[in-house]
Amino acid sequence: MELTVTGRKFAITDWMKEYCDDKIGNAARVFDIDPLTIEVVLTQEKNPANPTPAKCEVTLRAGGHVIHVEENEEEIHAAIDVASAKVTRQLRKFKTRVVDKRNRGAEKEAARAAEGAVGDELDLDALMADLSEDDIVRTKEVELRPMKVEEAMFDFDLLGHDFYMFIDEEDDKFAVLYTRKDGGYGLLKQA
């Protein structure tokens, strides 16, 4: 397990690193998921009007899955505590649904990999050709894996974003799962 603690707009002290390792690192060690990398970003806003200026963002990467937790509190140690509790819940969900299921279905995965089921590559350069570089605030690379819609919904729930991209296992087409404003999920599929 690799744990990285960084600060955004303020310096990280040794006690913050130790506290993150004690709270978040120990929560991750209990579930014994390997390989696991954890990135913790701590932010302390200086705006006196903000009732919760301390922010703790935790991103865990485990076997192609991403778990993201974000918490705001009055003090930095409280934000770390609440984020740690959320990380524990998300890791429990991940372990019971993904890791245990993967261990039961290892033979199916090996057979599917032997068949060479690979989705089409997504050309991000062609999609971004009309944009100027000033319009792009952040760039991320996304690994698109073939999976069932139910698996994508689970990963989407763990990630905590507004959308999730994947390759639909049933027809090997690009798909996007998103949260609808009226509740529920929406699914966009490649034609």
Side-chain angles (χ1 to χ4, degrees):
M1 179 187 82
E2 179 185 334
L3 180 94
T4 307
V5 181
T6 56
R8 206 174 275 155
K9 298 182 182 177
F10 82 105
I12 298 296
T13 61
D14 288 338
W15 80 262
M16 288 180 192
K17 288 181 183 179
E18 291 173 12
Y19 197 73
C20 287
D21 188 46
D22 286 345
K23 291 294 190 170
I24 298 169
N26 286 342
R29 284 184 197 95
V30 167
F31 290 97
D32 192 32
I33 298 169
D34 201 38
L36 180 67
T37 60
I38 305 170
E39 297 171 13
V40 179
V41 178
L42 303 174
T43 309
Q44 183 74 38
E45 292 185 22
K46 299 195 185 321
N47 183 356
N50 187 353
T52 56
K55 182 177 183 180
C56 178
E57 296 178 57
V58 182
T59 304
L60 294 94
R61 287 175 172 62
H65 296 275
V66 178
I67 299 170
H68 184 78
V69 172
E70 217 173 284
E71 271 307 313
N72 292 337
E73 291 293 326
E74 289 181 28
E75 295 182 12
I76 200 73
H77 65 10
I80 294 169
D81 289 342
V82 176
S84 173
K86 277 191 173 182
V87 164
T88 303
R89 284 193 304 271
Q90 295 291 62
L91 282 172
R92 184 177 295 119
K93 187 187 293 187
F94 173 77
K95 178 100 165 116
T96 56
R97 283 190 174 173
V98 175
V99 175
D100 293 344
K101 183 177 180 179
R102 184 179 295 156
N103 290 341
R104 287 190 305 263
E107 296 84 25
K108 291 179 185 178
E109 283 291 322
R112 191 178 66 139
E115 292 173 9
V118 176
D120 297 331
E121 292 290 324
L122 178 64
D123 187 7
L124 292 177
D125 293 332
L127 293 174
M128 298 167 55
D130 294 334
L131 298 173
S132 72
E133 288 187 27
D134 296 335
D135 295 335
I136 300 171
V137 178
R138 186 174 184 184
T139 302
K140 283 188 175 183
E141 291 186 15
V142 179
E143 179 184 335
L144 299 178
R145 297 182 300 125
M147 61 177 64
K148 295 179 182 175
V149 175
E150 294 80 19
E151 293 175 67
M153 289 175 70
F154 175 71
D155 283 356
F156 179 44
D157 184 40
L158 286 176
L159 191 57
H161 286 182
D162 295 333
F163 66 94
Y164 186 77
M165 300 182 304
F166 65 102
I167 302 295
D168 191 347
E169 195 175 73
E170 292 180 16
D171 53 12
D172 285 334
K173 291 188 178 181
F174 175 75
V176 176
L177 192 61
Y178 65 95
T179 306
R180 296 179 47 89
K181 288 181 183 178
D182 61 350
Y185 298 102
L187 181 64
L188 299 173
K189 291 183 86 174
Q190 177 184 359

Coordinates of all heavy atoms in Angstrom, one line a residue, residues 25-61:
G25 N -4.9 5.1 6.4 CA -4.0 4.0 6.1 C -4.4 2.7 6.8 O -4.5 1.6 6.3
N26 N -4.8 2.8 8.1 CA -5.2 1.7 8.9 C -6.5 1.1 8.4 O -6.8 -0.1 8.4 CB -5.3 2.0 10.4 CG -3.9 2.1 11.0 OD1 -3.0 1.7 10.5 ND2 -3.9 2.8 12.2
A27 N -7.4 2.0 8.0 CA -8.7 1.6 7.4 C -8.5 0.7 6.1 O -9.1 -0.3 5.9 CB -9.6 2.8 7.1
A28 N -7.5 1.2 5.3 CA -7.2 0.4 4.1 C -6.5 -0.9 4.4 O -6.7 -1.9 3.7 CB -6.4 1.3 3.2
R29 N -5.6 -0.9 5.4 CA -4.9 -2.1 5.7 C -5.8 -3.2 6.2 O -5.5 -4.4 6.0 CB -3.8 -1.8 6.8 CG -2.6 -1.1 6.3 CD -1.5 -0.9 7.4 NE -0.6 0.1 7.0 CZ -0.7 1.4 7.3 NH1 -1.6 1.8 8.1 NH2 0.2 2.2 6.9
V30 N -6.9 -2.8 6.9 CA -7.8 -3.8 7.4 C -8.4 -4.7 6.3 O -8.6 -5.9 6.5 CB -8.9 -3.1 8.2 CG1 -10.1 -4.1 8.5 CG2 -8.4 -2.6 9.5
F31 N -8.6 -4.1 5.2 CA -9.3 -4.8 4.1 C -8.3 -5.6 3.2 O -8.7 -6.4 2.4 CB -10.1 -3.8 3.2 CG -11.3 -3.3 3.9 CD1 -11.3 -2.1 4.6 CD2 -12.4 -4.1 4.0 CE1 -12.4 -1.7 5.3 CE2 -13.6 -3.7 4.7 CZ -13.5 -2.4 5.4
D32 N -7.0 -5.4 3.4 CA -6.0 -6.2 2.7 C -6.2 -6.3 1.2 O -6.3 -7.4 0.7 CB -5.9 -7.5 3.4 CG -4.6 -8.3 2.9 OD1 -3.6 -7.6 2.6 OD2 -4.7 -9.5 2.8
I33 N -6.3 -5.1 0.5 CA -6.5 -5.1 -0.9 C -5.2 -4.7 -1.5 O -4.6 -3.7 -1.2 CB -7.6 -4.1 -1.3 CG1 -8.9 -4.5 -0.7 CG2 -7.7 -4.0 -2.8 CD1 -10.0 -3.4 -0.8
D34 N -4.7 -5.6 -2.5 CA -3.4 -5.3 -3.1 C -3.5 -5.4 -4.6 O -4.1 -6.3 -5.1 CB -2.4 -6.3 -2.5 CG -1.0 -5.8 -2.7 OD1 -0.7 -4.6 -2.5 OD2 -0.1 -6.6 -3.0
P35 N -3.0 -4.5 -5.4 CA -2.2 -3.3 -5.0 C -3.2 -2.2 -4.7 O -4.3 -2.1 -5.3 CB -1.5 -3.0 -6.3 CG -2.3 -3.5 -7.4 CD -3.0 -4.7 -6.8
L36 N -2.8 -1.3 -3.8 CA -3.7 -0.2 -3.4 C -2.8 1.1 -3.3 O -1.8 1.0 -2.6 CB -4.4 -0.5 -2.1 CG -5.3 0.6 -1.5 CD1 -6.5 0.8 -2.4 CD2 -5.7 0.2 -0.1
T37 N -3.2 2.1 -4.0 CA -2.5 3.4 -3.8 C -3.5 4.4 -3.3 O -4.7 4.4 -3.7 CB -1.9 4.0 -5.1 OG1 -2.9 4.1 -6.0 CG2 -0.8 3.0 -5.6
I38 N -3.1 5.2 -2.3 CA -4.0 6.2 -1.7 C -3.4 7.6 -1.8 O -2.2 7.8 -1.4 CB -4.2 5.9 -0.2 CG1 -4.8 4.5 0.0 CG2 -5.2 6.9 0.4 CD1 -4.8 4.0 1.4
E39 N -4.1 8.5 -2.3 CA -3.7 9.9 -2.4 C -4.6 10.7 -1.5 O -5.9 10.7 -1.7 CB -3.8 10.4 -3.8 CG -2.9 9.7 -4.8 CD -3.1 10.1 -6.2 OE1 -3.8 11.1 -6.5 OE2 -2.6 9.4 -7.1
V40 N -4.1 11.5 -0.6 CA -4.8 12.3 0.3 C -4.4 13.8 0.0 O -3.2 14.1 0.1 CB -4.6 12.0 1.8 CG1 -5.4 12.9 2.7 CG2 -4.9 10.5 2.1
V41 N -5.4 14.6 -0.3 CA -5.1 16.1 -0.5 C -5.9 16.8 0.6 O -7.1 16.7 0.7 CB -5.6 16.5 -1.9 CG1 -5.3 18.0 -2.1 CG2 -4.9 15.7 -3.0
L42 N -5.2 17.6 1.4 CA -5.8 18.4 2.4 C -5.8 19.9 2.0 O -4.8 20.4 1.5 CB -5.0 18.2 3.7 CG -4.9 16.8 4.2 CD1 -4.0 16.7 5.5 CD2 -6.2 16.2 4.6
T43 N -6.9 20.6 2.3 CA -7.0 22.0 1.9 C -7.6 22.7 3.1 O -8.5 22.2 3.8 CB -8.0 22.1 0.7 OG1 -7.5 21.3 -0.3 CG2 -8.0 23.6 0.2
Q44 N -7.0 23.9 3.4 CA -7.5 24.7 4.4 C -7.8 26.1 3.8 O -6.9 26.9 3.5 CB -6.5 24.9 5.6 CG -6.9 25.7 6.8 CD -8.0 24.9 7.6 OE1 -7.8 23.7 7.8 NE2 -8.9 25.6 8.1
E45 N -9.1 26.4 3.6 CA -9.5 27.7 3.1 C -9.3 28.8 4.1 O -9.5 28.6 5.3 CB -10.9 27.7 2.5 CG -11.1 26.8 1.3 CD -12.5 26.9 0.7 OE1 -13.2 27.9 1.0 OE2 -12.8 25.9 0.0
K46 N -9.0 30.0 3.7 CA -8.8 31.1 4.6 C -10.0 32.1 4.6 O -10.0 33.1 5.3 CB -7.6 31.9 4.2 CG -6.3 31.0 4.3 CD -5.1 31.8 4.3 CE -3.8 31.0 4.3 NZ -3.7 29.9 5.0
N47 N -11.1 31.7 3.9 CA -12.3 32.5 3.9 C -13.1 32.4 5.2 O -13.6 31.4 5.5 CB -13.2 32.1 2.7 CG -14.4 32.9 2.5 OD1 -14.7 33.8 3.3 ND2 -15.2 32.7 1.5
P48 N -13.2 33.5 6.0 CA -13.9 33.4 7.3 C -15.4 33.2 7.1 O -16.1 32.8 8.1 CB -13.6 34.8 7.9 CG -13.3 35.7 6.8 CD -12.7 34.8 5.7
A49 N -16.0 33.4 5.9 CA -17.4 33.2 5.7 C -17.7 31.7 5.5 O -18.9 31.3 5.6 CB -17.9 34.0 4.5
N50 N -16.7 30.9 5.2 CA -17.0 29.5 5.0 C -17.0 28.7 6.3 O -16.1 28.7 7.1 CB -15.8 28.9 4.1 CG -16.1 27.5 3.7 OD1 -17.0 26.8 4.1 ND2 -15.2 27.0 2.8
P51 N -18.2 28.1 6.7 CA -18.3 27.4 7.9 C -17.5 26.1 8.0 O -17.2 25.6 9.1 CB -19.8 27.1 8.1 CG -20.3 27.1 6.7 CD -19.4 28.1 5.9
T52 N -17.1 25.6 6.9 CA -16.3 24.3 6.9 C -15.1 24.5 6.0 O -15.1 24.0 4.8 CB -17.2 23.1 6.4 OG1 -17.7 23.5 5.1 CG2 -18.3 22.8 7.3
P53 N -14.1 25.2 6.5 CA -12.9 25.5 5.6 C -11.9 24.4 5.4 O -11.1 24.4 4.5 CB -12.3 26.7 6.4 CG -12.6 26.4 7.8 CD -14.0 25.8 7.8
A54 N -12.0 23.4 6.2 CA -11.1 22.2 6.1 C -11.6 21.2 5.2 O -12.8 20.8 5.3 CB -10.8 21.6 7.5
K55 N -10.8 20.8 4.2 CA -11.3 19.8 3.2 C -10.3 18.6 3.1 O -9.1 18.9 3.1 CB -11.4 20.5 1.9 CG -11.9 19.6 0.8 CD -12.1 20.5 -0.5 CE -12.7 19.7 -1.6 NZ -12.8 20.5 -2.8
C56 N -10.8 17.4 3.1 CA -10.0 16.2 2.9 C -10.5 15.4 1.7 O -11.6 15.0 1.7 CB -10.0 15.3 4.2 SG -9.1 13.8 4.0
E57 N -9.7 15.3 0.7 CA -10.0 14.5 -0.5 C -9.2 13.2 -0.5 O -7.9 13.3 -0.3 CB -9.7 15.3 -1.8 CG -10.5 16.5 -2.0 CD -10.1 17.2 -3.2 OE1 -10.2 16.6 -4.3 OE2 -9.7 18.4 -3.1
V58 N -9.8 12.1 -0.6 CA -9.1 10.8 -0.6 C -9.4 10.1 -1.9 O -10.6 9.9 -2.3 CB -9.5 9.9 0.6 CG1 -8.7 8.6 0.6 CG2 -9.3 10.7 1.9
T59 N -8.4 9.7 -2.7 CA -8.6 8.9 -3.9 C -7.8 7.6 -3.7 O -6.6 7.6 -3.5 CB -8.0 9.7 -5.1 OG1 -8.7 11.0 -5.2 CG2 -8.3 8.9 -6.4
L60 N -8.5 6.5 -3.9 CA -7.9 5.2 -3.7 C -8.0 4.5 -5.1 O -9.0 4.6 -5.8 CB -8.6 4.3 -2.7 CG -8.6 4.7 -1.3 CD1 -9.8 5.6 -0.9 CD2 -8.5 3.5 -0.4
R61 N -6.9 3.9 -5.5 CA -6.9 3.1 -6.8 C -6.5 1.7 -6.4 O -5.5 1.4 -5.8 CB -5.8 3.7 -7.7 CG -6.2 5.0 -8.3 CD -5.1 5.7 -9.2 NE -5.5 6.8 -9.9 CZ -5.9 8.0 -9.4 NH1 -6.1 8.1 -8.1 NH2 -6.2 9.0 -10.2

